[in-house]
Amino acid sequence: MDLALRPGTPADWPGIAQLMQMTFHASWDDELDQVKHGIFEPDRALVATDGDEVVGHAVALTRRLTVPGATVPAAHVSMVGVAPTHRRRGLLTQLMHRQLAEVPEPVAVLWATESQIYPRFGYGLASWRVSCSIETREVRLPEPAEPGRLRTVPVEQARPELARVFEAVRPGRPGWSDRDDRWWSYRLADPASHRQGSTTRRITIHEGSAGVDGYALWRARSKWSDTGPNGEVSVDEVVAINPDAYLTLWRLLLSIDLTRSVKVWATGLDDPLLHLVDAPRRLGTTVGDGLFVRIVDLPAALAARRYAVPVDVVIEVTDPLRPANTGRWRVTGDAEKATCTRTEEPADLACGITELGAAYLGGTSLAALAAAGRVRELRPETLAPVAAGFGWPVAPSAIEIF
């Protein structure tokens, strides 16, 4: 049976929510439904129905993404799923192909539940996610030079300050996405079904001499062993404008009474905590895949970001799903400006659109991709300087699921 795709409508939400519950094996409730519904954009959704049942769905959410030296409009792809009864009929392929054909932003970005799926649609692994399982009795942090005041505050009281601190930090962090009121409501929502036996979310802010300059979102779970308290702290995010605020917040999180461990699901490869503790091995770090980036409009995307060192290179690109991206492109740029124009000049490098997506945030080296045989150097001694230019001093990271 051929199932045609159509644009979503507000009336589709209950069916989409039911599909998401089935696809992701989630315990859905009214509170969680309201949280998800708050960010839903029906006019940017695609649905497939079989009778009255929604059996396939994908949506592109409207946000801006920080990239090296700039921010760009980015389609944040989310809520992608196909009903178990309708798998292997090509629905996911139809959804991805049509969405790519209709996305107006220069790039699209997503978290992959199955990392082998999305590269075939041109998405490249652009950031790495560092998780920590910290043995708090085994690590020590230095004293901050100027410790400030810490306060744990209610959500509504803290929200304006959280937004101000986040916006002060976000423009310098590739991989972070902007948050309007809807997205702050989504981030700070605390449905009981997500707590997994832990407390409600705590919000602790740090006040320095110039006012609030950092915050931590966290929760704790009570555990006991035969030898006493063995509780666990779960950290959602720590954002700080300066090192003292960051250090003071982490000193608190690693010393919560009756706890012996701290879990961090997502931080970056260059998180300062990795360099602050006296026993880095006791952080229990693991590395997994983070954001996947798909370049949709190649000249717009490569001209929008900045380059760590000057580049002037011709790249031959292949893109089976977006033929307008296929061809030779001359990229010139530095830390201040960039251009990308079609050219007939001989190419210096050659790669697919997936590889450019992987390198786009500055965290996946073109040289590393070349070593894997995924980028070809066509003109000798071109790769190294171009790889340096596509890099960036701050490693990309992503601290929230969308």
Side-chain angles (χ1 to χ4, degrees):
M1 182 185 301
D2 292 329
L3 301 175
L5 303 184
R6 62 168 173 81
T9 70
D12 289 319
W13 176 251
I16 293 168
Q18 184 176 7
L19 175 65
M20 293 300 101
Q21 177 182 2
M22 184 179 299
T23 302
F24 294 103
H25 315 302
S27 298
W28 214 263
D29 54 38
D30 290 343
E31 192 175 10
L32 182 59
D33 186 80
Q34 291 177 8
V35 169
K36 295 289 188 180
H37 196 189
I39 59 169
F40 180 57
E41 298 181 42
D43 58 324
R44 301 204 65 187
L46 291 171
V47 298
T49 56
D50 188 352
D52 294 332
E53 181 186 3
V54 176
V55 296
H57 174 261
V59 66
L61 304 171
T62 306
R63 303 179 75 178
R64 293 189 69 87
L65 178 73
T66 301
V67 301
T71 66
V72 301
H76 285 57
V77 176
S78 185
M79 303 185 202
V80 180
V82 173
T85 53
H86 290 69
R87 294 176 63 244
R88 304 199 181 282
R89 300 189 189 186
L91 274 182
L92 178 62
T93 297
Q94 290 182 58
L95 287 164
M96 293 292 98
H97 285 195
R98 178 159 169 180
Q99 186 180 69
L100 280 173
E102 296 179 354
V103 161
E105 294 96 338
V107 299
V109 60
L110 56 77
W111 288 90
T113 51
E114 298 281 356
S115 59
Q116 70 271 33
I117 293 175
Y118 293 97
R120 71 175 188 253
F121 304 117
Y123 285 87
L125 177 55
S127 77
W128 294 96
R129 174 180 57 85
V130 174
S131 299
C132 299
S133 182
I134 306 170
E135 303 173 52
T136 56
R137 288 187 167 186
E138 301 296 332
V139 296
R140 298 290 181 274
L141 291 171
E143 294 279 349
E146 296 184 15
R149 178 190 179 198
L150 292 173
R151 291 190 294 122
T152 298
V153 296
V155 172
E156 291 309 315
Q157 180 181 338
R159 184 164 165 164
E161 296 292 358
L162 303 189
R164 185 184 62 80
V165 171
F166 184 82
E167 282 305 309
V169 176
R170 179 182 65 85
R173 298 306 306 261
W176 288 23
S177 302
D178 69 346
R179 295 176 183 169
D180 59 16
D181 286 343
R182 293 179 312 118
W183 282 99
W184 272 110
S185 294
Y186 177 80
R187 184 55 170 152
L188 297 177
D190 191 21
S193 57
H194 279 191
R195 294 174 195 162
Q196 299 180 331
S198 296
T199 63
T200 56
R201 180 180 286 117
R202 316 299 194 204
I203 301 176
T204 300
I205 62 173
H206 179 275
E207 290 183 280
S209 57
V212 175
D213 53 8
Y215 69 84
L217 308 181
W218 60 283
R219 64 179 82 243
R221 180 165 56 178
S222 177
K223 291 183 181 179
W224 293 80
S225 68
D226 291 340
T227 58
N230 193 33
E232 178 183 290
V233 173
S234 296
V235 178
D236 291 335
E237 65 184 46
V238 179
V239 178
I241 295 174
N242 58 68
D244 282 337
Y246 183 87
L247 177 56
T248 304
L249 286 163
W250 267 110
R251 285 176 61 87
L252 168 75
L253 295 169
L254 295 179
S255 62
I256 301 295
D257 286 344
L258 307 183
T259 67
R260 299 293 182 264
S261 63
V262 173
K263 304 288 187 182
V264 184
W265 185 77
T267 187
L269 286 171
D270 59 357
D271 192 302
L273 183 65
L274 305 177
H275 307 285
L276 284 169
V277 298
D278 62 343
R281 187 178 301 171
R282 298 295 187 172
L283 292 177
T285 55
T286 58
V287 178
D289 52 282
L291 287 179
F292 284 74
V293 170
R294 210 302 178 181
I295 293 179
V296 180
D297 182 337
L298 186 149
L302 295 188
R305 61 154 290 174
R306 301 295 174 255
Y307 299 85
V309 298
V311 297
D312 187 352
V313 61
V314 175
I315 306 176
E316 186 168 348
V317 181
T318 55
D319 186 348
L321 300 186
R322 298 272 299 190
N325 291 330
T326 295
R328 296 176 189 170
W329 299 92
R330 184 173 184 179
V331 183
T332 60
D334 54 29
E336 301 297 328
K337 61 184 182 303
T339 63
C340 179
T341 56
R342 192 177 288 277
T343 182
E344 297 300 324
E345 298 177 44
D348 303 311
L349 302 176
C351 66
I353 199 70
T354 303
E355 286 67 43
L356 279 186
Y360 188 66
L361 296 181
T364 301
S365 169
L366 289 173
L369 293 171
R374 296 175 56 186
V375 173
R376 290 183 296 130
E377 184 181 54
L378 304 179
R379 184 165 65 87
E381 300 183 3
T382 302
L383 177 64
V386 174
F390 270 76
W392 200 249
V394 179
S397 61
I399 59 174
E400 62 174 301
I401 294 288
F402 50 83

